[in-house]
Every structure is written in C-alpha cells, then in structure tokens.
Amino acid sequence: MRETFVESHYSSSVISRRMDDSRSPALVSPPDAETPPAVRREHAHESLSSDFQKAGSEPIDATRLSHALKAHEEAIQRRERTPGESPSRKRQRINRETDRFIPQRHDLQRDFGLLPDQSSPATPSRAKTRTPQGVLDFQQSELRCAASELERDGPDSHLGEEQNRTFESLLHTELFGSSMPHQTPPALSPDPTLPPSTHSTTVNDPSRSRTPPYNATSSSLPPSSLTPSTPHKNLFTYKSPQHHTNISGHPTPSRTPQSRHGANLNVHSDLYSLSPVRLDSQRLLLSPRKTPRPVSKVPFKVLDAPDLADDFYLNLVDWGSSDILGVGLGSSVYMWNSSSGRVNQLCELQDDVVTSVSWIGRGSHVAIGTTKGLVQIWDAERCRRLRTMTGHTARVGALAWNDHILTSGSRDRLIYHRDVRQPDQFLRKLVGHKQEVCGLRWNTDDGQLASGGNDNKLMVWDKLSETPLHKFSDHTAAVKAIAWSPHQRCLLASGGGTADRTIKFWNTQTGKCVHETDTGSQVCNLAWSKNSNELVSTHGYSQNQIVVWKYPSMTQVASLTGHTYRVLYLAMSPDGQTVVTGAGDETLRFWKCFGKRERDGVGGESASSKMQRYSMIR
C-alpha cells in the first residue's frame, strides 16, 4: 500500500512539472525575429533549483539529470550566439602555378601608379600582409633573379656599374612603363561629376588597414613632413582603361588598336608575349652593350723608394722623353732606365734637400729644385751639372719647361721665367699668389702657363706676361693638380685639396668653368692620356686610389688601389700607356692604364711603316 502511494505521488509530481513547462513561454526565437531574446543563466539555475526543491526527497536518476543539464546548457549557448557575418565577396585569386599572368578580359589594360604621400599616419594592421597579386608576382621573381646575379658578380667587378644601371632601368620600366608614375587625387572616393570610366579605385582588401583621406583645408593636423608616419601598405593603385569616343560614337581604346568586341590586334602587346617582362624591358636586355676597356688593377712593377717625402707641395717624380724616370729621394736624385731596368744615381746635394724634379721636353737635361731656393740644371747622359740659378728665398716645389724657358715656383710666392741659354738668372718675375706655389704646367701649343697655389687660387698667364690672364677662385683648397688637354685647345683641368675634392675643367678662352666633378677625396695629381680622351687622377685620404676617367662624361673607367699613403706623385711614360705613382709608403708602382694609339694599335700598320712603303722604288 505504501509503495503504491509513493509511485502515485512521484508520477503526479512529474506530471505537474511537465504542465508547468508547457505553461511557461518558449525560449526559442521565432524564424522572422532579427535578434533572439537574451536569457540569463541565473534564471535557469533558479528554475532547476526550484524543481529540485519540489521533488523533495524523491529519488532522482543521476544519468537523466546529467543529460538534461547538458541539453539545457547547449540550448542556452545556441540562444546566446550572435547572428553570422554577412557573406563577403571573395577576390578572384590568380593561379600562382602558371608561368605567366593571363588576364580574364581581352581588352584589359593595366596602369599602376604610386599613391600620394599626403594622408595622415596609418596604423599598421594586425592581419597578415599579402604579396601583390597579378602581374607583379612574376615580375618580382624576374627582378629577384636579376638582383641575385648582381649580388653574385659583386660591385668590384668591371661590369658592376653597368649591371646596376641596367637593373635600375629594368625596374623602372617594369613598374612604370615608359612614363613616370602619375599621382592619384587625394580623396579616396571618386568624383561623382566624372564619368565612371575615369574613376581610380583601389583593390578592396579586408586585410589592409584603412587610411583616412587627407583634408587640405584642415589646419588642426601638422604637416606630414613634421608628423612621423608609418609606411602605407596601399603602394599601388589600379586604373581602368579610358575609352575615347570617336565620331561614330563607338568607344575606341587609347593605346592599342582593337575593335570593340574583338581581340587585341597588336602583335607586340603583352597579352601575346611569352616573356615574363615587358617588350621595352626585352629590348633593353637584348640591346648590344659596349664592353668596357679592361684595366689591370694590379701594378706590373713595384720599386722601393726610400726617403720619398710625404709632402703634398713637392713634385719629386718625372718621366723624361728619353724613357728615363727621375726620382728625388732625400738629398739625391736617382734615374731608372725602363729599357734596361738599371738604376743610377745622378747627384747628391751637400747640405740641401731635393724638392722638385722636371725633365726638359726634348733632350737629356733635367732641372732640380732645392730647399735653399736654388735651381740646378744637370746633363743626365754625362751626369754633369751645367749651371745653378738663384733668385728664390725659399724652397722650390714646382718646375715646368717650355722649350728653353724654365719656370720655377717657390714658397716665397714668386714665379720666375728663366732662359737657360742666357746668363741672366731670370727673365720675368710673376707676382700673383699669396701663398706657396705648388703647381706649374705649360701649354706648349698655345703658350699659356697655369699656376696653382696654397691660397686656393688658379691663375693662367699668357706667354711671358707679368699680368695673369685669368684668376679662378672656385677651389676651396690648395691647387696642386694641373693638366692641359692634348686633345682640345684651351681646356685646363685642375684639382683641389682635402677641403675641395673636386676636379674642374676650364675654358681659358672664355674664362669659364665648363665642368665639375666631385671625387670624394683629396686630388693630388692630374694627367691627360696622350692616346685617348681620358685622364688619370691620384688621391689622398681615405682610399689613396688612382682613378681613370672618361672625358667629358667623367665616368670611372677604373679605380686602382694599392698605396697605403697619399698618392702624391704621378708621371706618365713617353708612349702614354704606363703611369707611375709614388706615395709616402716609399714605393713606386707602375700601372698599365691606357692603350696604344689607334694608328699604332695592335695588329695595325704604324705611321713609320706607311712612310717606308711609299719610299721604296718599284
């Protein structure tokens, strides 16, 4: 009887709970509702606890209770979920496995440009950045290959400069074509007054950060140049083709001739090309390039020169017309014969030091300047001193010959013209420089003398005139390097010291500077090539290099290094092929910088052989 009562009581309690659940409103949201009602978990737990209280001490199945609680929790989680995101338009991905980009439209014309840098600072997005799509994918791979080849060859190779210029031209052509990049309007939204075809739009990429448009009228923000900004990610803009309307009203493309509904008729169009680069880039890569003249970067002979002074204002090395090199070492002068390789001592001064050495233009006479201001003339063949001339009160650091006229420059700021045939000590006395005269060069064709001094002045004197024809004050350091061009009349080259570092070219007829090049280091010496329109310069700090220049482009043919001190001395062989350099490291280095003359070139017939052919009697 008691068991029946318990069962009836348990069944009635269960039925009552089901009836209560049926009376309670359903929590499932209707299908048309936009947002389901929010349900708090506190009420759910309260309802469950009330049910447990109603049950009292009745036995409860633990398995059913756990299933019920789990189902209830899942229902609450489903109700609390927000509505799903709206479907976004997926960008059409390009197959990266193909060898080149094939556009989907036959009349598509691509035009890329750089965005203007006028917007406010952009915050970098946390999303993963993507590589540019489309045409730039295979272009980047092609350019990477070119860059790897340049890195493999190295900048020190003789083709490094040409390869860098080719790579730069190729990169410019691939990115911008034949025209420079155009700038888009600062506003991001298109102008409603313009036709739709002229709107410039950007690719919609949800992973990229948005940058607000720049407002030119607002003054609250500082200028972009004063505000630090992060690089923009939208580097490129895409522009659809602009169609022009002809007389008949049909749209006509602006670039390539094609029909309205037909295919592109231009056989040179990129659509039909099998190459990963444009047609202009193909022409650039396939164009013939002139092979640069090879110049050995290693001296073919090195001679020891003990006691070779490390003084910028002295001129201690000169190569005579008899193919003998004269070098002043301390108080002695030595001669090196390039034909036999023998070294002979010409003289040794008593209580004096050699400060300059200069060979006469034609002959075996050599002039020697000393610290005491004396100028001695020696016969190199007989090793005999011919005469000693006075006049200077300080060391003679510069000497120059013009036939029988010997010109000397000294630290006493004076320049003397001397006729070695006459007994007088000098013919003319030139006063113009305010500090030591360290450079002298005669132009034997036009009879002009160029002088440079430590007062940063370059002066040009006409023949034996005591008044300078031109005074140039453009240099900002001492002017020691002076050279006249043998290929062009009245063309003078001069180089400045450490504070100047430039090579300037002057037209002595007009008195104007026609060209200027910054070498980046102290210019110690200059010499024109006798066989080609080139010149060689020697430099000091910091690389102590010898540079061969091509005139008038002033492109470097070669840069030679080896000296550990400033290259203060320079001389050229009579045939114009070899130059010798001297430095404070007490070495003389011989470099093969120039080739033979065209009429005396290798494999060619020399002028003497041509004259012998006409002198034969047949």
Side-chain angles (χ1 to χ4, degrees), residues 238-307:
Y238 175 77
K239 187 175 181 181
S240 59
Q242 297 183 3
H243 296 281
H244 302 279
T245 305
N246 55 13
I247 301 177
S248 60
H250 296 286
T252 304
S254 59
R255 292 186 178 180
T256 56
Q258 59 183 0
S259 61
R260 181 178 181 183
H261 302 287
N264 194 330
L265 302 180
N266 186 6
V267 294
H268 298 292
S269 175
D270 294 339
L271 305 180
Y272 306 116
S273 177
L274 299 178
S275 175
V277 295
R278 299 188 184 186
L279 181 62
D280 296 338
S281 300
Q282 298 178 35
R283 293 174 179 174
L284 176 64
L285 295 175
L286 297 177
S287 61
R289 275 166 286 186
K290 185 178 180 180
T291 304
R293 179 172 60 85
V295 177
S296 177
K297 295 188 176 182
V298 179
F300 65 87
K301 183 182 289 294
V302 178
L303 298 178
D304 291 330
D307 297 332

Side-chain angles (χ1 to χ4, degrees), residues 99 142 157 177 208 238 268 325 341 372 378 429 504 561:
D99 58 345
E142 186 74 10
S157 63
R208 297 184 177 182
Y238 175 77
H268 298 292
L325 180 68
K372 294 182 178 181
W378 286 74
K429 178 180 178 181
K504 300 181 187 297
T561 57

Side-chain angles (χ1 to χ4, degrees), residues 352 355-356 368-376 385 388-396 399 418:
D352 209 345
T355 56
S356 58
I368 300 173
T370 68
T371 302
K372 294 182 178 181
L374 302 178
V375 177
Q376 299 182 3
R385 185 178 63 183
T388 300
M389 293 178 286
T390 61
H392 291 292
T393 59
R395 69 179 184 184
V396 180
L399 294 170
R418 310 171 187 269

